[in-house]
Amino acid sequence: MSSPVLVADDHPLFRSALVGAVKGAAPDRDVVERDTLKGALDALAEGAIGLLTLDVHMPDSDGLAGLLEVRNRFPAVPVIVVSGDTNPKLAARVAGFGATGFIPKATDLPLIKEAIAAVLDGETWLPDEDEPSAEDEALKTLTPAQLRVLLFVRDGLLNKQIAYEMQISEATVKAHMTAVMQKLGVHTRTQAAMMARSLDISSSESSED
């Protein structure tokens, strides 16, 4: 039996539309629904998933950081990013972070079905866009733990607070942060935090999301 498709979206109506599109494109596949990034990650950890459609605007997805975490932890799972964001550069960014497809939420249902069918057949569904930036290429190299530390630094937490949140030692936090700054090519926590802010795409989110 074919692996199920995981639909992760916190907007009930659009999630229902995606489920319908999946069933239309691949009637032989089961569909798993989740409305948070954590729920999606838990479902991915529980068993084989043939495709993930991922809304990068869910409350806990932290913008493109959610996509990075999925790609880091489950690199074999193809991911179609769905977004109400109208920024023309977003498709290139998600492609650079390892997404297999990108579907704007304004896309007509027949085209969504076509995109899902194409990705399930091993193809990509991405527009021709510019190459990913050097900044995104560097962010992509972070491990899940390093990314989490960076996001806490972005949010202004001190090392001891990060250590408490992650249940690790302050020395481990410092080691992670040293590795983060080396990978990002920066010399201060402030510079690293500024790079992390580029993962937040909520400012241009459409009202549909």
Side-chain angles (χ1 to χ4, degrees), residues 37 41 54 56 60-71 147:
L37 176 65
L41 292 169
L54 178 67
V56 290
D60 66 337
S61 66
D62 225 329
L64 294 175
L67 173 61
L68 278 177
E69 183 169 4
V70 169
R71 300 313 300 144
L147 178 61

Side-chain angles (χ1 to χ4, degrees), residues 82-140:
V82 294
S83 175
D85 197 303
T86 57
N87 187 333
K89 296 182 179 180
L90 182 56
R93 296 195 70 194
V94 302
F97 286 152
T100 312
F102 177 78
I103 301 175
K105 286 195 172 183
T107 304
D108 292 337
L109 188 59
L111 197 56
I112 294 178
K113 290 181 183 179
E114 187 177 339
I116 291 171
V119 174
L120 285 172
D121 284 341
E123 302 174 23
T124 59
W125 192 269
L126 295 162
D128 293 329
E129 296 284 349
D130 296 332
E131 291 295 316
S133 67
E135 182 178 284
D136 281 355
E137 287 292 301
L139 287 165
K140 189 170 64 175

Side-chain angles (χ1 to χ4, degrees), residues 62-65 93 154 195-204:
D62 225 329
L64 294 175
R93 296 195 70 194
R154 179 204 62 185
M195 287 185 69
R197 290 191 187 100
S198 73
L199 295 169
D200 181 8
I201 54 177
S202 60
S203 59
S204 58

Side-chain angles (χ1 to χ4, degrees), residues 10 23 47 51 66 76 99 101 106 122 154 158 166 168 171 188 190 203 205:
D10 69 326
K23 291 185 179 297
L51 170 66
R154 179 204 62 185
L158 302 174
M166 296 183 64
I168 57 179
T188 68
T190 300
S203 59
E205 183 179 346

Side-chain angles (χ1 to χ4, degrees), residues 8-208:
D9 196 300
D10 69 326
H11 192 288
L13 291 178
F14 191 77
R15 188 171 69 247
S16 178
L18 277 176
V19 171
V22 172
K23 291 185 179 297
D28 61 320
R29 292 183 184 256
D30 291 333
V31 182
V32 178
E33 298 180 53
R34 295 292 185 269
D35 61 2
T36 63
L37 176 65
K38 182 182 183 304
L41 292 169
D42 288 345
L44 287 165
E46 287 171 3
I49 294 293
L51 170 66
L52 165 65
T53 68
L54 178 67
D55 177 11
V56 290
H57 293 294
M58 292 184 291
D60 66 337
S61 66
D62 225 329
L64 294 175
L67 173 61
L68 278 177
E69 183 169 4
V70 169
R71 300 313 300 144
N72 281 333
R73 292 179 56 184
F74 306 98
V77 177
V79 179
I80 296 177
V81 168
V82 294
S83 175
D85 197 303
T86 57
N87 187 333
K89 296 182 179 180
L90 182 56
R93 296 195 70 194
V94 302
F97 286 152
T100 312
F102 177 78
I103 301 175
K105 286 195 172 183
T107 304
D108 292 337
L109 188 59
L111 197 56
I112 294 178
K113 290 181 183 179
E114 187 177 339
I116 291 171
V119 174
L120 285 172
D121 284 341
E123 302 174 23
T124 59
W125 192 269
L126 295 162
D128 293 329
E129 296 284 349
D130 296 332
E131 291 295 316
S133 67
E135 182 178 284
D136 281 355
E137 287 292 301
L139 287 165
K140 189 170 64 175
T141 66
L142 300 181
T143 68
Q146 290 166 356
L147 178 61
R148 193 172 177 204
V149 167
L150 176 61
L151 294 177
F152 280 133
V153 169
R154 179 204 62 185
D155 293 340
L157 272 67
L158 302 174
N159 282 352
K160 64 180 180 180
Q161 295 171 310
I162 298 172
Y164 174 80
E165 292 292 336
M166 296 183 64
Q167 296 297 294
I168 57 179
S169 69
E170 284 190 56
T172 301
V173 173
K174 291 178 182 178
H176 281 319
M177 200 58 210
T178 297
V180 166
M181 289 191 292
Q182 289 176 342
K183 287 183 175 182
L184 299 185
V186 298
H187 302 289
T188 68
R189 289 167 68 98
T190 300
Q191 290 173 322
M194 288 178 65
M195 287 185 69
R197 290 191 187 100
S198 73
L199 295 169
D200 181 8
I201 54 177
S202 60
S203 59
S204 58
E205 183 179 346
S206 77
S207 60
E208 178 187 8

